[in-house]
Amino acid sequence: MDETFEGASMRRTFHGETSSTPTHTRTADTRSTHTRTGTMHSESESGSEYVPRFDDYGDEHSVVPLRRMRSSQEALIPNDESDMDVITGWLYNGPLQRAKYEDFSTIDWIYESTKARHYKNDLRVQTHVGIKGRLQLLADSSKSWIVLLAVGVTMGLIATCISVSSQWLIDVKGGYCRTGFYLNRRFCCWNTDTVCVDWVTWSELFRVHWHWLDWLLQFIVFVFDAILFAGISTFLVTEYAPYAAGQGIAEIKTIMSGFMMRQFLGVRTLGIKCVGVVLSVASGLSLGKEGTMVHVACCCGNIYSRVFKKIKHNEVKRRELLSAASAAGISVAFGAPIAGVLFSLEQVSYYFPAKTMWRSLFCATAAAVTLKLLNPFRNGKLVSFQVTYDRTWDLFELWFFVAIGVICGIIGMLQNRLTLYLMEYRQHSVLKNFARGEVLVVALATACVSYMSVYLRADMVTLVSNLFTECTGQETDGLCSRGDRTGNVFSLLVTSVLRVLMTSVACGLAVPAGMFTPSMATGASIGRAFGMVVQTLYENHPTWRLFGACRPDVPCITPGVYALVGAASMLASTTRMTVTVVVIMFELTDALIYVLPIMLAVTVSKSVADAFGKDGYFESIIHLNGYPFLSMDQEYVLHGTSDELMVRVSEMTVVEANGETLESVLKLLRESSYSGFPVVKSKNSLVLVGYISRSDMAMVAERARVSSVYSNASPCCFSRGNIELPMAHAQMLDFRPWVDATPITISHGTDVNLVAEMFRELGVRYVLVVHHGALLGIITKKDIVRTVRLHSRNQARSEMPYVPVWLSSMVRQTHEPVQHRLPVFSSESRGL
């Protein structure tokens, strides 16, 4: 992709109406002559062959050359058969060179896949048989594994640093450790079973003895630190890395589908994301760090893949590695390497060959092993909220688990709708110009509200861990208090409502953070409250037939299990993930016996949420931002034909195969904004010859413009057929190596559902509509995406007549072209 023209050469033979693929030679000195018989000849020391070159040295020939390895097909052609026609078309032998994909454009999956196959074939042809050749093949195949190993180890290190740093900043809001300021409260009081004398609160430091003044001082420090941490985080994001805002999984899904976002996986984004997520979590905003690990892992995979040209210059290979790298993010976030593999398959990957699953497992395992060796929590756990259960469940509890699934399904759907409504409101209101100020105001409000409740004041990881933990017989306070059980249930329900509101507001802020942990905290609060109600019913009415299976000498109801089921249900309803959520909870608890209740609740929760719309949180973000994404999970039933969907040729700009000059090409590029141009034999006949992308045409035309060899009157050639060459001293600019001579075409009247499947399964960027070889129009991926979204909205309205108007209109889709958007929180909208 980054190859240059200089020093390259190639051989091309024209015979009859067909064209040959290029075959490369290395000739030091070449003199070419041209005839008008339709065949090019040249004289050189190696024989009669035409070797054009692209330089400024005044050679008589003028065809733009390229440089690449000889393909395996070309290597099989004997040297004495130079007049033999080789199979034509870049789809078979690959193009010589393509320009870089522009930002906010879509890759050519067919081209990239073909280039990867021919790279492997060329490598096998060039390597010699024997130990040396096998070692070369082994070294080449090991590049991907080296990248994945580096990603896994790096993610283990990053996860350790983020977890330790964020916990220390959270504890600093309440005090500091006398024996070591760098220690958080847990490590400071590691060997203390009762009162920790080494942990000093800020009121103790200033010797405040009055109770109300003690409370006020702690409150002021708590709020001040929250605003400070949130302010630094949003400043870093808006000033240096706008792409670090949010969770990033929606954008990663779009990138996996072939979309280009240049700086989204860069070094600066990685650094700001890691630092910003620590600050945003420590500020107390209703956000988590687990979801951002996926973005961080993909950034590491993208950075490490630049080391090897094999991966750097092939977008399909890079996306295969990014799919595997995303598994490491979930692996370190939840201590669940198997769930990481399933997450990559179920949620992130658009193109997932069988070998990617093995690579995903390798990368996730490397990350988990690294995290285990570092042991950041000094208790052998990969994450701090891992729990184990000693009790089992009874059959009658399945009805309660179903009820939790229904409740969390509805609440998760409402949270998604409210979050997206607020996001869209930001985009169309003055708030988009005050991103930093909004973060500070939300941080202030969140800190003031959270400090009033012990469940909101605690960080969400600690809260989820406490909600999951079952009570023992010795514990009689807090969640385990029997005397204050009613108050705890009420507090948990209020906490759930406030958590939904605060999460909906915080998810669109200009700070890096995710929504996995807030959703789990909400679901765990609901589930724990539900379990405590059931436990109270059993204790007050143990003789009911409903509790007939309970034994009197063994605790029958475990509220911690209900919290686990609620967390899984809430996470499933917001993200629409199923198998991944079940495996995450299984790996968190190490209890296979609870898989069935979790599976049941997750299935019910997702079904309830799907009744109000098939899109989860990430898919809704994609639609809101207008990304060109076609989901592989949904089935579309569209109506119409290609004639109704296509952009007609009368509304397009086409290029004549042999009737253009350099001046007309430059003018065409200046006056039009199309991403590509169909090549026709003539504008009268409109017989289709091929297709050339704007980036390729602009690259060649710009290099020719600054060259001393060409002038504005230089003719341009786009046709691969039999042509008459200009005189020897007339410089012809050859665009043929960049012309797709075999574009994917369909006949007029083709069903639109078949067209949509072509875009989704083949990953094409465009299809041309023809009739008996004549161009009728073009259909791009954005046309299909626009049609699918319009159909989805109409179908949702017809299938849900019972949904209130205020709820169905809460999320309105935007049609603003994505290339005209600024990043979510760019430096141009950071005013205070």
Side-chain angles (χ1 to χ4, degrees), residues 487-499:
N488 285 332
V489 170
F490 178 77
S491 298
L492 288 174
L493 294 179
V494 173
T495 299
S496 302
V497 175
L498 294 177
R499 182 72 66 188

Side-chain angles (χ1 to χ4, degrees), residues 413-541:
M413 179 272 302
L414 292 175
Q415 177 179 299
N416 282 356
R417 293 292 181 94
L418 180 59
T419 301
L420 295 173
Y421 174 78
L422 294 176
M423 286 183 178
E424 187 181 10
Y425 179 78
R426 286 188 184 97
Q427 293 181 356
H428 297 87
S429 67
V430 296
L431 288 178
K432 65 181 179 181
N433 299 322
F434 302 95
R436 297 179 185 175
E438 183 188 12
V439 171
L440 297 180
V441 172
V442 173
L444 173 62
T446 302
C448 293
V449 174
S450 299
Y451 196 79
M452 306 301 172
S453 171
V454 64
Y455 297 118
L456 291 174
R457 184 166 66 250
D459 64 284
M460 279 179 289
V461 173
T462 302
L463 175 63
V464 171
S465 178
N466 292 335
L467 293 174
F468 284 176
T469 303
E470 61 181 272
C471 296
T472 60
Q474 294 77 18
E475 295 176 329
T476 58
D477 55 353
L479 290 171
C480 300
S481 175
R482 293 189 176 184
D484 195 27
R485 185 172 292 171
T486 302
N488 285 332
V489 170
F490 178 77
S491 298
L492 288 174
L493 294 179
V494 173
T495 299
S496 302
V497 175
L498 294 177
R499 182 72 66 188
V500 169
L501 296 176
M502 290 190 298
T503 302
S504 300
V505 174
C507 277
L509 297 178
V511 292
M515 45 75 65
F516 283 170
T517 308
S519 298
M520 292 177 61
T522 302
S525 300
I526 296 173
R528 184 82 183 204
F530 197 98
M532 294 169 69
V533 171
V534 176
Q535 186 181 38
T536 302
L537 289 176
Y538 168 70
E539 293 175 353
N540 295 334
H541 308 280

